[in-house]
Amino acid sequence: MPRRPDRRARSLRTLRTLLVSAVVASAGCAAPPPETTSEVRIRAPFGGEPQTLALLNTSDLYSNYIGLLVSDALVRYDDGGRLVPRVAASWEVSEDRRTVTFHLREDVVWHDGAPVTADDVRFSFEKIRDPVNGDRTLPAVFEHVEVEAPDPATVIARYDEPNADFLGSWTFPLIPAHLAGTDPDLLTGAFARAPVGCGPFRFVRYEPGNEVVLEAFVEHWAGRPGIDRLVFKILRDQRTALQALLSGDLELMAVPSTLFREALDSGRAGDLRSTIYTRASTWYMAFNLDRPTLADARVRRAIVHLLDRREFIDGALDGLAVPGVTTWHPDGPWADPSLEPIPHDPAAAAALLADAGWTDSDGDGRLDRDGDPLAVRLLYVRSSQAIVDRFAAWFQQSLEDAGIGVEVRALEFQTFREERDRGGFDIVSGSFGLDPIADQTELYHSSSVEHGFNFFRWRDDVTDRLLEEGVRTFEPERRRAVYGALQRRIREHAPLVALFYLETPLLYRREIRGLAPGPLGIYRTVPGPAGWTWDPTPVPER
């Protein structure tokens, strides 16, 4: 991983010191405990509405969180990024590595009391790979897989080709065939209005614009969760959410870096503890390669050279981010540590643009070619998060200073996704989550333009070959070599750029125990909230 600048390390140490000081200074203003009777209730914010409560095939963050909490999967990631057994107690891989046999636990039940069977797994598999249900990633993974359920406790997956990352595909939440199977439309039918899963929390209610409520499932096979209720308050404005946290109306919140210092300076953080983690999600910039101008890698790299990411991180994010190299997480096992981010270098950008024919031929301060000015349109999701508009303004200024015209356009999420997927953009920017697996076929393979997440339309024979080789390679060192070559290819051609990885400060009530965020956050791993407890016993400061 690239070495982090010392000034950033000093900045983080200073922030942590300030937080401890704020805690000590305001220790006398603790908020009341969240339990109104004997019930332990943890409240946290959602920045928007979940798009569906169907539990699987979720393309937005909040729907994904609910799916992972309400239902279990064959396997899940722990907070260290390791895959661990859940509904599948064990599994075997055939000698030719094309067949996987899962053996299910016999003590897993749905929230209505019915047993979870292999038929439910097969049903969930068929639903999640059906493109009509809206998922853009897993259908590509499962396109060449067939699933059998020879008995209630056995699932057999037969792959056309060996897949070294097969296990990471089975982390999707399961849904009950006897309930969800009656809906002609999974995402909007009766099941999506009152979902039933087999996870540690059961769905209670969803009040649009207000909250989503989950409660502990006492018959969960891994034991009853340590808290009684999870309440996700829908608070679109992050400053409003922060004030709710500081006033005791929330128990925890992932605080954006742009508001972290405000929290420290508020004088009301005495009942809170903090931790900072680098999320397994990247703030990206992707180019529409069907646009003739942006199909030229020289233009794409030049635009990246114009962005002073360190300046933006230090100035707009209080130093709480890491410049990205590729979409392989910098702390993960598959990132190539020899690669550095494309540097801020306006001179190199000018040379690349001139080589591509873009110069200021008439001295008006704008680059042109054959009389046509160089201009791009940036598309992004409208949000109350300060980073969104700050990024758009910084991007626009950075390019316009170099003579490139920029139009910025913010859209609501659903409209943004529709425009992005149909190719109605020049450049899009935003964030997306990443899984710890090595394979990123759904993002970069040419076949994923139509049926995956390759909305930027990257079609490259070398990339396709390396992706196909990587997924068939089981030996770790050989796999690292393949994915190293792939990352060098992506960095060189820059169809999509991981601009930076945000470091997320998490503020939470000191009574919450067992909270262990990792790169996947606090909701996407096990035991996650099911392992939290509430303990008012004072804990010495660390």
Side-chain angles (χ1 to χ4, degrees):
M1 185 175 72
R3 186 175 182 272
R4 301 179 182 180
D6 289 342
R7 60 177 174 168
R8 182 186 165 279
R10 289 197 298 271
S11 174
L12 285 180
R13 284 196 295 270
T14 301
L15 287 171
R16 292 187 178 101
T17 301
L18 285 170
L19 180 60
V20 172
S21 299
V23 168
V24 173
S26 56
C29 56
E35 52 265 62
T36 54
T37 56
S38 60
E39 178 184 82
V40 176
R41 177 190 60 189
I42 303 296
R43 297 164 296 178
F46 271 3
E49 308 281 349
Q51 299 300 305
T52 178
L53 298 180
L55 304 185
L56 50 70
N57 286 46
T58 54
S59 58
D60 69 286
L61 193 63
Y62 308 117
S63 299
N64 183 252
Y65 288 165
I66 293 169
L68 293 172
L69 292 167
V70 170
S71 203
D72 231 324
L74 291 188
V75 296
R76 289 282 302 278
Y77 289 103
D78 66 11
D79 54 28
R82 297 172 294 267
L83 286 165
V84 295
R86 297 298 285 176
V87 175
S90 62
W91 52 88
E92 298 112 26
V93 181
S94 65
E95 188 173 346
D96 66 2
R97 294 172 170 168
R98 296 179 185 223
T99 302
V100 183
T101 302
F102 294 99
H103 303 284
L104 307 188
R105 299 181 59 94
E106 296 181 356
D107 55 353
V108 185
V109 297
W110 298 108
H111 295 158
D112 67 354
V116 174
T117 70
D119 280 332
D120 293 312
V121 177
R122 181 174 58 182
F123 171 79
S124 302
F125 165 81
E126 294 295 346
K127 285 294 184 182
I128 203 165
R129 76 168 180 174
D130 185 350
V132 75
N133 291 320
D135 193 282
R136 295 181 55 83
T137 57
L138 284 173
V141 176
F142 286 142
E143 186 176 356
H144 302 292
V145 183
E146 294 301 326
V147 169
E148 303 171 16
D151 63 65
T154 307
V155 175
I156 300 175
R158 303 187 190 279
Y159 291 75
D160 287 356
E161 297 288 341
N163 187 321
D165 283 322
F166 75 91
L167 201 56
S169 304
W170 296 92
T171 58
F172 60 85
L174 302 176
I175 57 175
H178 68 285
L179 297 176
T182 63
D183 279 348
D185 185 345
L186 174 66
L187 300 183
T188 61
F191 178 77
R193 293 191 292 273
V196 172
C198 60
F201 293 92
R202 62 190 303 161
F203 175 79
V204 176
R205 67 176 180 272
Y206 167 40
E207 299 176 10
N210 184 25
E211 64 185 17
V212 180
V213 180
L214 311 179
E215 68 179 9
F217 179 47
V218 297
E219 297 177 18
H220 188 250
W221 64 268
R224 186 192 191 283
I227 58 175
D228 299 304
R229 287 207 165 196
L230 274 174
V231 179
F232 295 107
K233 307 295 292 186
I234 298 170
L235 299 169
R236 295 181 181 275
D237 184 78
Q238 291 186 314
R239 180 167 276 103
T240 300
L242 176 60
Q243 295 308 313
L245 175 72
L246 295 175
S247 63
D249 293 326
L250 297 175
E251 279 66 60
L252 66 86
M253 176 182 177
V255 181
S257 58
T258 50
L259 294 180
F260 190 38
R261 188 172 295 279
E262 179 177 322
L264 305 186
D265 294 341
S266 70
R268 292 189 291 163
D271 208 35
L272 302 174
R273 295 178 67 83
S274 77
T275 186
I276 297 174
Y277 63 97
T278 304
R279 294 204 311 248
S281 63
T282 183
W283 191 275
Y284 72 92
M285 175 176 66
F287 300 91
N288 186 344
L289 303 185
D290 281 350
R291 298 283 195 262
T293 297
L294 298 174
D296 191 331
R298 294 170 295 185
V299 176
R300 300 194 298 269
R301 285 184 61 87
I303 290 175
V304 182
H305 277 306
L306 291 173
L307 302 177
D308 189 343
R309 287 182 268 179
R310 176 50 59 192
E311 177 187 57
F312 182 77
I313 289 170
D314 289 345
L317 304 178
D318 268 329
L320 290 170
V322 180
V325 182
T326 67
T327 49
W328 282 263
H329 192 277
D331 293 334
W334 303 109
D336 185 338
S338 69
L339 297 180
E340 297 281 348
I342 296 174
H344 175 235
D345 191 340
L352 285 167
L353 290 168
D355 190 50
W358 295 100
T359 61
D360 183 6
S361 64
D362 54 9
D364 67 349
R366 292 293 185 185
L367 298 180
D368 62 88
R369 185 176 65 185
D370 300 327
D372 295 324
L374 179 56
V376 296
R377 184 176 68 173
L378 175 72
L379 206 65
Y380 64 100
V381 178
R382 180 178 289 114
S383 171
S384 63
Q385 298 182 54
I387 183 178
V388 172
D389 290 329
R390 290 183 186 183
F391 174 84
W394 168 72
F395 177 87
Q396 184 176 39
Q397 190 65 55
S398 298
L399 269 62
E400 290 188 342
D401 285 348
I404 302 174
V406 178
E407 174 193 351
V408 296
R409 186 181 179 201
L411 301 174
E412 296 299 328
F413 175 76
Q414 186 61 35
T415 306
F416 166 84
R417 187 170 64 176
E418 292 170 359
E419 283 290 292
R420 181 197 66 191
D421 291 351
R422 75 172 185 85
F425 67 93
D426 294 328
I427 302 173
V428 292
S429 188
S431 64
F432 57 65
L434 302 166
D435 285 330
I437 64 173
D439 180 39
Q440 295 192 14
T441 293
E442 76 279 1
L443 188 59
Y444 292 114
H445 198 279
S446 59
S447 65
S448 297
V449 171
E450 299 299 328
H451 302 294
F453 206 62
N454 188 352
F455 53 81
F456 44 99
R457 291 149 171 79
W458 172 238
R459 301 174 179 90
D460 177 61
D461 290 343
V462 175
T463 297
D464 287 355
R465 176 179 58 78
L466 289 169
L467 285 166
E468 292 160 10
E469 181 181 354
V471 82
R472 292 194 302 264
T473 304
F474 283 70
E475 198 279 313
E477 288 306 314
R478 286 183 55 208
R479 287 200 92 196
R480 272 188 278 274
V482 171
Y483 286 106
L486 177 57
Q487 289 167 70
R488 289 190 291 274
R489 181 76 175 177
I490 297 297
R491 182 186 182 278
E492 177 186 358
H493 290 269
L496 178 147
V497 180
L499 290 174
F500 38 80
Y501 288 86
L502 295 175
E503 293 196 315
T504 301
L506 185 69
L507 294 179
Y508 59 98
R509 288 282 298 272
R510 62 177 60 250
E511 292 92 344
I512 299 176
R513 307 293 165 81
L515 194 154
L520 292 175
I522 57 176
Y523 301 120
R524 296 176 63 196
T525 60
V526 292
W532 300 349
T533 59
W534 182 270
D535 185 351
T537 306
V539 177
E541 287 298 331
R542 292 175 293 191

